[in-house]
Amino acid sequence: MSRACVIGAGPNGLAAAIVLAQAGLHVDVFEAEAEPGGATRTLPLTLPGFLHDFGSAVHPFAAGSPFFASLPLSDHGLEWIHGDSPLAHPLDDGTAVVLERDLDATTRALGADGEAWKRWLEPAAIHWMEFAEDALGPVLRVPRHPLRVARFGWSVLESARSFAQSHFSSLRTRAVFAGLAAHSFLSLDQPLSATVGLMLAVSLHAAGWPIPRGGAQAISRALIGSLNSLGGVVHTSRRIDAAAFRELEPESTAFLFDTAPRQLLSIACDRLPSRYARAFSRFRLGPGAFKVDFALSEPVPWRAAECRRAITVHLGGTMEEIAASEDAVASGRVAERPFVLVAQPTLFDPTRAPQGKHVLWAYCHVPNGSAVDMTERIEAQIERFAPGFRDCVLARRVSPPFVLEAMDANLIGGDISGGAMSLRQFFFRPTLHGYSTGTRKLYLCSASTPPGGGVHGMCGFHAARLALREMRA
């Protein structure tokens, strides 16, 4: 039986391993950390009994992943919790814009902008799985359903600010769209920022923005259960360096790296053609994240009651304020009033904290590798929309970029996106050939390949499919 090795047990590495195991290969996955999952781990970061998601907390693309949907993950314990509402965006007048999973309900809530919202999102939302198969794959290919992706295609070149001003008349709708687009880590005046906002909006209505019961680790455990059922094995606390790679190489048919490009270079640079090595070394990192996990004595006391219905809350106020925050980061500065992404899982999953207590997950964007302490600024933004929040805090765990990288070597400088999502790196991710390294036996399957960041496994799925095709050629 042919043997394949996967380096890294994040969602993409595990997805690649499953595809290879389904094809009949013996698959070994090597993970440097004691707990597999990469950014999809759940850890006791503050006080006993409080379980916090280390990386991703809310999972629209995991719930809506075409590959994950093909696997019996529920048989391995994965249960999605959708909560009452996916997203709330509070404003300074004490109200909040709420996006409901039901598209018609959101259309009504957005008033004069509702029909424009629905017109843009409904075709892709109704046919989500077909749309996602095209959208969450290699960029330079003929889509299976070209008419469904054509509407989004031109938005690649449009900025979020331009899109919002062109299509939405209400400042409230522009604000909530700006929050969606800010997930891109781009300035809202840059190309692609509108596309990211639209993709997240479509996923919200098509798949929801759910959390896994018990935390993000449940996704990794379900993927590992699926892999184990096919005979694959995950080896934890096994960091693969250049020496370990050389020992494994003679016995293996293929290697798939769920790593950043520069980590692949550090392990197997001498196996790569020089043009690929140069491209990998020049691949640009994205901005970093500064994260704070809170243990709370009670739920966040939001001024806007609507926020208490939402799994995710975006804190940033108006479109102009969010744009200013992201412009600062894009210019290499920290924002005085950062856009803050918040998840409150224990409102809907009480298993994550002692009875009556809560966890809160929050982060903002900072320049890659920033050493500036953003704790006070993050808490000030929460307090702005939830007066009395600080009185609820029992403990906090602060994770600046260097801590995130220490806990997951892929998060270089706190980059949780697998590299900058610039227009160039949208097409060249990390090269024009995507998952290929120019060496038939070696492949890249991380978020540094198409379609990029997010917990969806599609990078690993497509990389493994390429590896299998080339093995059989």
Side-chain angles (χ1 to χ4, degrees):
M1 177 184 294
S2 297
R3 180 196 192 192
C5 293
V6 177
I7 314 303
N12 283 312
L14 294 172
I18 290 169
V19 173
L20 297 170
Q22 287 173 330
L25 279 71
H26 175 78
V27 183
D28 289 294
V29 182
F30 296 94
E31 169 56 48
E33 302 299 327
E35 191 75 27
T40 51
R41 286 179 285 164
T42 305
L43 304 167
L45 298 176
T46 56
L47 301 174
F50 290 83
L51 297 175
H52 305 270
D53 290 324
F54 162 66
S56 52
V58 182
H59 299 277
F61 294 125
S65 166
F67 178 60
F68 288 174
S70 73
L71 303 175
L73 298 182
S74 61
D75 294 348
H76 299 285
L78 181 59
E79 177 187 351
W80 292 114
I81 299 173
H82 285 273
D84 297 335
S85 172
L87 173 66
H89 186 116
L91 300 168
D92 285 317
D93 63 2
T95 66
V97 185
V98 179
L99 298 184
E100 307 289 355
R101 187 179 178 191
D102 181 78
L103 180 55
D104 289 331
T106 296
T107 300
R108 292 190 295 271
L110 293 180
D113 289 326
E115 286 305 316
W117 187 273
K118 185 175 183 177
R119 185 168 60 252
W120 270 98
L121 303 179
E122 187 175 46
I126 289 175
H127 302 283
W128 168 258
M129 281 300 173
E130 293 175 352
F131 174 74
E133 285 179 1
D134 288 325
L136 299 178
V139 177
L140 300 179
R141 62 170 178 164
V142 178
R144 294 184 181 181
H145 309 282
L147 294 179
R148 297 215 176 99
V149 298
R151 191 176 186 85
F152 277 66
W154 75 270
S155 70
V156 165
L157 300 176
E158 189 165 15
S159 72
R161 192 199 297 265
S162 172
F163 183 90
Q165 290 174 340
S166 298
H167 297 284
F168 306 130
S169 60
S170 167
L171 298 181
R172 296 170 66 87
T173 309
R174 292 179 183 180
V176 76
F177 184 75
L180 293 169
H183 281 254
S184 66
F185 282 82
L186 296 169
S187 162
L188 299 194
D189 291 311
Q190 286 183 270
L192 275 176
S193 55
T195 304
V196 172
L198 289 167
M199 281 293 297
L200 283 166
V202 170
S203 71
L204 184 148
H205 296 302
W209 283 16
I211 56 174
R213 186 175 298 281
Q217 190 73 47
I219 300 173
S220 302
R221 288 175 182 153
L223 290 169
I224 291 169
S226 182
L227 176 62
N228 291 160
S229 71
L230 297 166
V233 180
V234 177
H235 308 271
T236 55
S237 300
R238 290 285 303 276
R239 189 176 299 277
I240 301 300
D241 56 15
F245 170 72
R246 284 193 293 270
E247 290 179 5
L248 292 168
E249 191 176 16
E251 305 171 5
S252 303
T253 304
F255 284 87
L256 282 84
F257 288 77
D258 184 11
T259 70
R262 67 173 59 180
Q263 290 172 301
L264 190 156
L265 282 175
S266 71
I267 296 170
C269 182
D270 61 340
R271 299 295 191 269
L272 305 184
S274 59
R275 68 183 186 279
Y276 280 86
R278 285 194 300 271
F280 285 11
S281 67
R282 294 170 182 166
F283 188 70
R284 287 201 308 114
L285 299 172
F290 187 105
K291 180 167 173 279
V292 185
D293 290 288
F294 298 95
L296 304 179
S297 60
E298 60 186 80
V300 178
W302 300 110
R303 182 186 293 117
E306 301 97 317
C307 293
R308 300 168 195 172
R309 300 179 51 242
I311 285 178
T312 303
V313 183
H314 284 170
L315 305 180
T318 65
M319 181 180 73
E320 289 72 21
E321 185 180 349
I322 295 170
S325 169
E326 299 310 292
D327 284 346
V329 175
S331 300
R333 298 176 286 110
V334 297
E336 290 302 319
R337 300 183 88 183
F339 172 63
V340 178
L341 299 94
V342 171
Q344 36 190 10
T346 41
L347 289 184
F348 307 100
D349 180 9
T351 68
R352 304 276 300 276
Q355 185 173 5
K357 304 297 190 293
H358 289 267
V359 298
L360 192 74
W361 174 100
Y363 80 92
C364 70
H365 303 156
V366 295
N368 190 277
S370 172
V372 178
D373 188 346
M374 299 295 288
T375 308
E376 172 59 30
R377 287 176 237 205
I378 287 174
E379 292 189 8
Q381 285 287 62
I382 301 174
E383 187 82 19
R384 170 184 169 188
F385 298 103
F389 164 73
R390 289 189 176 95
D391 296 334
C392 304
V393 176
L394 298 173
R396 60 180 61 76
R397 168 69 175 266
V398 175
S399 299
F402 76 89
V403 169
L404 296 178
E405 182 177 349
M407 296 178 70
D408 182 342
N410 270 358
L411 308 184
I412 301 171
D415 176 7
I416 63 174
S417 300
M421 187 54 81
S422 63
L423 194 58
R424 174 179 174 78
Q425 289 190 178
F426 177 70
F427 292 102
F428 295 84
R429 192 162 185 90
T431 72
L432 188 63
H433 302 288
Y435 320 99
S436 174
T437 67
T439 302
R440 195 180 180 102
K441 196 174 181 179
L442 308 183
Y443 304 87
L444 192 64
C445 67
S446 69
S448 299
T449 64
V455 179
H456 42 63
M458 297 302 289
C459 305
F461 169 78
H462 288 293
R465 292 278 296 272
L466 173 63
L468 289 171
R469 286 197 301 270
E470 293 192 349
M471 284 182 212
R472 293 164 179 162

